[in-house]
Amino acid sequence: TNIVESLLIRVMNMVLRTRMQSFGDENSESNNSKIEHNDNKLKKSNAGSTSTSPCAKSFFQEARIRWNLSPLFAKMGICLVTFFFTIHLVAGLMDVFYQYNLPFIKNMNQDLHGDSFAVVINTFKRPEMLREAVQHYGETCGRRMGVAQVFIVWADLKATPPPPEAFFEDSPSIIRSREQTKKNRSTVQILRASKDSLNSRFQPIDDLQSDSVFMVDDDMRIDCQSLWKGFQAWKSNPDSMVGYYPRLAAATLDQKYVYQAWPTVWWRQSMNFVLTKASFFHAKYLRIYSDPQIHPPEILDYVDQRMNCEDVAMALVIANATTGPMIYVEGSVTDKGLFNGISTRTSGAEHMDARSKCLDDLTQVYEKRGW
């Protein structure tokens, strides 16, 4: 019996082992079939995606892998470069769109008396500089920026001025079409001076269509947006002078004046007049300056003798006529004749001394007249 029992136990163990092996084989076959089925589905999906976009997924996958493998400082650098490039691009596009597609005066044919001004350009024997100035103020800025008229003070008595339309020949009208450019152009008129004098720039103008005058030298370029900004500042203070070049007449202990230029103005954060080489003021001051019944004739003689200080004299005329301060407007300004101006051909120290003497001499004349 013991032998029989031991044989039965062995037979049962063998049967159990056989069944367990067969069950394990079935499970492995089913798992393998499932894996093969999933692999086939993945291959089909990959085939479909590659058929629609053969390089999109691989490109983004590669970019993502490279990004994940990049060190932290490289990621930060890429983010900073992308951020500043985007800001620069957006700002540039906004500037172009704003300047060339959003004119301040949308209807060019409307009455511009209240929203326009005249540009008066003072020039002397610099034809190319003058041509650039007329094209800038009369065409690049033009009517859309409020420039209704451009007057050229022609003081060269020996030369004949060109016709007004000649200043716009070969003008670089790149962005706007030719028709829009012509429509935006300001009218140009030449004022021939009776004599070679710096006082000629302040002669009265009969054909003015507005009360505002922007007096500028032919070597000064005021950005169109800055020009409009200055005009708006003048409209808020029409009896004052608004300009882009602040100066300081500093009084000394012995009751004399010292002419201080931009470095001192910036350092002391103080100014009390602006230069007329780029300034807005009311047209009535042209008549006051040139009228000997109002303005002392010896002032005009003083300017002719020294070929200097006509801007200081006009600033004193305006300061006497109004109680308000003169206004400095910060803007984008380019001075193409910084070292070649009529009154700046002397050395820096001599020029500053001459300007200080002008302040003293002109002030004494005005004080004698009760100004």
Side-chain angles (χ1 to χ4, degrees):
T1 57
N2 293 331
I3 296 173
V4 173
E5 289 179 357
S6 63
L7 289 173
L8 290 174
I9 292 172
R10 288 182 180 180
V11 171
M12 291 177 66
N13 289 333
M14 292 177 61
V15 172
L16 289 173
R17 288 176 181 175
T18 303
R19 287 190 175 184
M20 289 179 68
Q21 288 178 357
S22 62
F23 181 75
D25 292 338
E26 290 177 358
N27 288 337
S28 62
E29 289 177 0
S30 63
N31 292 333
N32 290 333
S33 64
K34 289 181 179 179
I35 293 172
E36 290 177 358
H37 179 69
N38 292 332
D39 289 340
N40 291 331
K41 290 177 65 178
L42 183 61
K43 289 179 180 179
K44 289 181 180 180
S45 63
N46 289 336
S49 63
T50 53
S51 62
T52 56
S53 180
C55 62
K57 189 169 184 179
S58 61
F59 171 77
F60 287 111
Q61 283 180 342
E62 184 179 356
R64 184 175 181 180
I65 292 173
R66 290 180 179 274
W67 176 262
N68 292 331
L69 294 177
S70 300
L72 180 60
F73 70 89
K75 294 179 180 178
M76 294 177 63
I78 294 174
C79 290
L80 288 174
V81 170
T82 304
F83 173 77
F84 286 112
F85 175 77
T86 304
I87 294 296
H88 180 75
L89 179 63
V90 171
L93 292 175
M94 289 180 63
D95 181 69
V96 172
F97 181 77
Y98 184 67
Q99 183 169 354
Y100 291 97
N101 294 286
L102 292 178
F104 291 100
I105 301 175
K106 296 181 180 180
N107 186 2
M108 300 296 181
N109 298 320
Q110 66 182 336
D111 183 13
L112 301 179
H113 183 78
D115 287 324
S116 68
F117 57 93
V119 174
V120 180
I121 303 176
N122 185 48
T123 185
F124 187 75
K125 295 185 177 180
R126 295 195 288 192
E128 290 301 321
M129 195 82 75
L130 175 61
R131 179 190 295 270
E132 293 177 5
V134 174
Q135 291 179 359
H136 174 72
Y137 295 109
E139 184 175 84
T140 303
C141 299
R143 292 180 175 270
R144 69 192 181 91
M145 291 294 173
V147 183
Q149 298 173 285
V150 174
F151 293 94
I152 301 171
V153 180
W154 189 270
D156 189 355
L157 305 180
K158 298 180 180 179
T160 302
E165 59 272 12
F167 292 103
F168 296 113
E169 293 178 356
D170 302 326
S171 62
S173 55
I174 300 175
I175 296 181
R176 295 190 296 272
S177 66
R178 186 178 298 274
E179 183 179 354
Q180 290 176 331
T181 300
K182 290 183 178 179
K183 192 175 182 180
N184 183 58
R185 283 177 183 171
S186 311
T187 59
V188 178
Q189 185 173 342
I190 298 176
L191 306 174
R192 302 202 66 172
S194 58
K195 66 176 183 177
D196 183 9
S197 171
L198 291 177
N199 293 310
S200 299
R201 68 184 306 173
F202 298 135
Q203 61 182 315
I205 303 174
D206 296 330
D207 297 331
L208 277 176
Q209 298 177 3
S210 60
D211 295 330
S212 177
V213 171
F214 178 66
M215 188 69 58
V216 65
D217 289 352
D218 59 0
D219 52 11
M220 299 300 305
R221 301 292 180 271
I222 311 299
D223 175 74
C224 296
Q225 302 291 340
S226 301
L227 188 67
W228 177 262
K229 181 180 176 182
F231 177 53
Q232 295 305 307
W234 176 86
K235 287 176 66 176
S236 301
N237 305 270
D239 290 330
S240 185
M241 187 192 299
V242 177
Y244 303 87
Y245 280 85
R247 293 294 184 264
L248 176 65
T252 61
L253 296 177
D254 53 355
Q255 299 300 316
K256 290 186 178 181
Y257 290 96
V258 178
Y259 179 86
Q260 301 288 1
W262 170 248
T264 303
V265 170
W266 177 83
W267 179 256
R268 298 177 60 173
Q269 292 295 297
S270 177
M271 50 82 65
N272 47 23
F273 73 101
V274 294
L275 299 183
T276 59
K277 68 178 182 178
S279 65
F280 286 92
F281 54 82
H282 199 285
K284 64 183 179 182
Y285 295 121
L286 297 177
R287 179 182 58 83
I288 295 175
Y289 186 92
S290 303
D291 189 350
Q293 301 298 325
I294 304 175
H295 193 218
E298 52 264 44
I299 297 292
L300 306 185
D301 296 336
Y302 185 95
V303 171
D304 288 337
Q305 292 172 7
R306 289 162 177 77
M307 292 295 291
N308 201 342
C309 298
E310 83 288 351
D311 51 352
V312 175
M314 176 57 85
L316 292 174
V317 167
I318 297 176
N320 180 69
T322 180
T323 57
M326 296 188 184
I327 299 171
Y328 160 61
V329 177
E330 186 176 4
S332 177
V333 180
T334 303
D335 189 348
K336 294 191 173 184
L338 184 60
F339 302 105
N340 194 30
I342 296 175
S343 61
T344 58
R345 292 175 182 173
T346 56
S347 64
E350 292 178 357
H351 175 69
M352 299 298 286
D353 291 340
R355 302 287 279 183
S356 297
K357 182 172 177 52
C358 281
L359 283 170
D360 285 331
D361 295 342
L362 296 181
T363 302
Q364 291 178 8
V365 175
Y366 287 128
E367 287 177 350
K368 291 179 180 178
R369 289 299 188 98
W371 286 31

